[in-house]
Amino acid sequence: MINLDRILGLVLLTLAVAYGWGAFNFPVAFAGPESVGPATFPKILAFIVGACSLYMLVKPDSLEEGEGFEYKALPELLLVLAVLVLYVFMMEPLGFVLSTAIMVAVLCWRMGVKPLYAGVTGIVSSTLVFLLFHFGLALPLPIGPWEV
Amino acid sequence: METLGLLMDGFNTALSLENFLYALLGCFIGTLIGALPGLGPANGVAIMIPLAFTLGLPPETALIMLTSVYAGAMYGGRISSILLNIPGDEPAMMTCLDGYPMARQGKAAEALALSALASFIGSLVATIGLIFLAPVLARFALSFGAAEYFALVVLAFATLGGVTGKNPVKSALAAGIGLAIATVGIDLSTGTQRYTFDVLELFEGIDFIVAIVGLFAVSELLLFIEAHQGSTPRSEVKMNPLRLSFASVVQILPTSLRGGVLGFIAGVLPGAGASLGSFVSYTLEKRIVGSKGYFGEGDPRGIAAPEAGNNGAASGALVPMLTLGIPGSATTAVLLAMLVSFNITPGPLMFTQNADIVWGVIAALLLGNILLLLLNIPLVGIFVRLLSIPPRYLLPIVTMVAFVGVYAISRSAFDLCFMIAFGVMGYIFRKAEIPLVPIILGMLLGPEMEKNLRHVMQIHDGDWTMLWDSSLSIGLWCIALAGLILPAIIGPILRVRMRRTAD
């Protein structure tokens, strides 16, 4: 099995190089070049992050039994992430109550709650939070298609 | 006696009806956060920040509420240690040792009451220490120049992992990433755009509240999903009616006082932290009591020592946070985030410029502790019942609260997506055992750190040796170096010992 440290080391090293390369290509400031300008600090950081990720790549921590990445959980995690991203974009079109109820219900269900209870939890909690924010705190949340 | 006068003013602030009610609410929520497994104190306080914003609270009220949440979370951690043998957070690990055996002997109520008392005494001792030490340290820190400040931040990063920390390379990596995230946006002194990719939302930089909530709350959800830990561990322990004898209270008094002092010291020192505070006070107590005690089998002193130590350390950790602007733990880092977002620059100047806020917070800490003691002894039954809410209902609701909070501040889908992205990052980093706190600290302290660096360079015309020119800055660099090297030597030994005591 590939060590997570190695993968992360590689990814972060790439990012550090890109970050450092970006620092060398900042537009020259209006006031003219300075000895220590906006690029100095990012260059130092690129070096630190690069060096540390190189170390991780070369000498990863040995993983103990039962630790590390659970590949079996990956589809589940992707599903949950998809639900969260969808939730963000559905909040305004669907309205807060409906979108939140669906989000909470799906999450509860995926964590092992029976569908009926999950649905009830979603509806009750989202309605309560909506009422609290909308009327209690006077902070309007998106109402969605039911807006008159 | 200037200090006492200021403290009295602080009480005036804290005791106004509105602030008092928010303190009470904070204590209640805090205990809940601490008690529920899977909701650590840093996580809990992080979710509360956007809510405090949306409530439109003035800074002192928001700070008082969140300080109470902080104090409450430290109290709450012990409940699951004692009843379920699961520490709510790392420092509460030592409380399991005697707390759970005592609960199994049918003395759960006594264990909870005595630990509440010990927590109170520990916090009280440490808060008194804070009242006297903080102004002195703040006055001393006023002599810091830009070079010293830069060295101080390096020290903070170097010691953040603590002597019990694992891999210093990973801590350094995390710090670098945090600082790098902080450079995104328009450079304040030249107006240069850095890493904005012409995206309007990035011009002002990445909001650290969005990052914190994502790193803590969303990653927690993902971890739970992965582990399928949706069900609650059943408690085999039954609550019993409280029968507290005067003798047992007297018995734990000296223990709690000692624990409080030790905890305070551990909290103030860079790199020690609450886990070490509770560990040291437990082992010391065991040595002092000696063979007369029955530690590990439900000795009340074995609960009092770590609880006093851990709460003492929690208050002690506020000293470097308030006076130097350098937090020593995850939760104080989150508190710092809130200060910064209220446009209050923590550090020595805060004691002169925002004296009312500082002393209001300290007064709130004292008040919060009294409230917590009063809340905890009669209401412990309610907390115990709430403890049985399974995470599979709780975490989705917590996620919803996190989303609503962040949405209510900015009303932008962009921020919410960033929060999810930070959640994924937090999840992966936790899997790889890369600490998250340096990332947050980097985001918080990055701008100041860079400003000071450039300041030094501008004064001395780009001479890098000026960073270690004064004796004070050399001292700070030395401590920072020690903080990086020592854990590699002492860390493994100490961790083995802590684990051996815990087993």
Side-chain angles (χ1 to χ4, degrees), chain B residues 397-460:
Chain B
I397 294 176
V398 169
T399 311
M400 167 181 75
V401 173
F403 273 82
V404 174
V406 168
Y407 180 80
I409 311 180
S410 64
R411 314 202 154 265
S412 100
F414 188 83
D415 275 0
L416 290 176
C417 289
F418 248 87
M419 183 174 92
I420 298 173
F422 271 107
V424 175
M425 175 172 142
Y427 167 76
I428 296 172
F429 278 20
R430 278 161 97 161
K431 286 265 107 185
E433 293 185 333
I434 297 172
L436 299 180
V437 183
I439 300 179
I440 291 164
L441 205 56
M443 289 185 71
L444 287 173
L445 301 180
E448 279 292 305
M449 191 179 180
E450 186 182 3
K451 199 177 88 191
N452 281 286
L453 174 71
R454 285 160 75 171
H455 199 66
V456 177
M457 292 301 131
Q458 262 153 18
I459 296 171
H460 301 290

Side-chain angles (χ1 to χ4, degrees), chain A residues 4-5 7-9 11-13 15 49 53 56 61 63 67-69, chain B residues 169-178 181 214-216 219 222-223 226 421-440:
Chain A
L4 182 59
D5 274 21
I7 304 173
L8 257 185
V11 172
L12 290 172
L13 185 62
L15 284 176
V49 175
S53 39
M56 257 171 72
D61 283 349
L63 289 175
E67 284 181 18
F69 212 61
Chain B
V169 175
K170 287 184 173 173
S171 306
L173 177 71
I177 293 172
I181 296 173
L215 282 176
F216 283 126
S219 75
L222 297 178
L223 278 180
E226 182 205 345
F422 271 107
V424 175
M425 175 172 142
Y427 167 76
I428 296 172
F429 278 20
R430 278 161 97 161
K431 286 265 107 185
E433 293 185 333
I434 297 172
L436 299 180
V437 183
I439 300 179
I440 291 164

Side-chain angles (χ1 to χ4, degrees), chain A residues 4-5 8 12 18-20 22-23 26-31 34-42 44-45 48-53 55-56 59 61 63-64 67-70 73 76-77 80-81 84-85 87-89 91-92 96 100 103-104 107-114 117-118 121-122 125-126 129 133 137 139-142, chain B residues 51 54-55 150 166-170 172-173 175-177 179-181 183-184 187 189-190 192-195 218 221-231 391-393 395-397 399-401 403-405 407-408 411-414 416-417 420 424 427-429 431-434 446-447 449-450 453-454 457-458 461-462 464 499:
Chain A
L4 182 59
D5 274 21
L8 257 185
L12 290 172
Y19 180 81
F26 283 150
V28 176
F30 182 66
E34 289 175 78
S35 60
V36 175
T40 316
F41 198 55
I44 302 173
L45 295 176
I48 294 175
V49 175
C52 292
S53 39
Y55 179 88
M56 257 171 72
K59 204 172 168 297
D61 283 349
L63 289 175
E64 286 168 34
E67 284 181 18
F69 212 61
E70 285 279 347
E76 194 73 56
L77 286 172
V80 167
L81 284 175
L84 291 181
V85 174
Y87 170 56
V88 169
F89 289 103
M91 201 196 278
E92 298 203 342
F96 177 82
T100 308
M103 187 273 288
V104 172
L107 287 188
C108 280
W109 172 55
R110 290 322 304 160
M111 292 184 90
V113 180
K114 285 190 191 115
Y117 291 116
T121 312
S125 59
S126 68
V129 166
F133 271 73
L137 305 174
L139 281 162
L141 293 168
Chain B
L51 290 182
T54 28
L55 288 170
F150 185 80
K166 276 187 172 167
N167 189 342
V169 175
K170 287 184 173 173
L173 177 71
I177 293 172
L179 290 169
I181 296 173
T183 59
V184 173
D187 174 37
S189 53
T190 58
T192 311
Q193 285 185 30
R194 297 194 290 188
Y195 309 108
V218 179
L221 174 82
L222 297 178
L223 278 180
F224 260 80
I225 295 271
E226 182 205 345
H228 285 289
Q229 288 172 338
S231 56
R392 60 174 181 261
Y393 289 104
L395 274 166
I397 294 176
T399 311
M400 167 181 75
V401 173
F403 273 82
V404 174
Y407 180 80
R411 314 202 154 265
S412 100
F414 188 83
L416 290 176
C417 289
I420 298 173
V424 175
Y427 167 76
I428 296 172
F429 278 20
K431 286 265 107 185
E433 293 185 333
I434 297 172
M449 191 179 180
E450 186 182 3
L453 174 71
R454 285 160 75 171
M457 292 301 131
Q458 262 153 18
D461 206 23
W464 288 87
R499 198 165 300 155

Side-chain angles (χ1 to χ4, degrees), chain B residues 136-272:
Chain B
V136 179
L137 199 62
R139 218 164 299 145
F140 169 66
L142 277 176
S143 63
F144 281 24
E148 283 82 8
Y149 184 83
F150 185 80
L152 185 72
V153 178
V154 175
L155 185 153
F157 282 120
T159 53
L160 195 62
V163 277
T164 52
K166 276 187 172 167
N167 189 342
V169 175
K170 287 184 173 173
S171 306
L173 177 71
I177 293 172
L179 290 169
I181 296 173
T183 59
V184 173
I186 291 178
D187 174 37
L188 285 180
S189 53
T190 58
T192 311
Q193 285 185 30
R194 297 194 290 188
Y195 309 108
T196 54
F197 306 106
D198 288 324
V199 178
L200 191 66
E201 278 90 347
L202 286 176
F203 279 21
E204 279 184 32
I206 294 167
D207 188 349
F208 44 72
I209 293 189
V210 172
I212 290 172
V213 176
L215 282 176
F216 283 126
V218 179
S219 75
E220 189 74 41
L221 174 82
L222 297 178
L223 278 180
F224 260 80
I225 295 271
E226 182 205 345
H228 285 289
Q229 288 172 338
S231 56
T232 320
R234 281 265 142 242
S235 171
E236 297 153 26
V237 174
K238 282 223 169 68
M239 280 299 282
N240 57 314
L242 181 63
R243 266 173 319 222
L244 207 53
S245 69
F246 187 65
S248 60
V249 173
V250 172
Q251 188 190 22
I252 63 150
L253 273 184
T255 310
S256 312
L257 287 173
R258 278 193 291 267
V261 173
L262 279 173
F264 176 67
I265 297 170
V268 173
L269 286 179

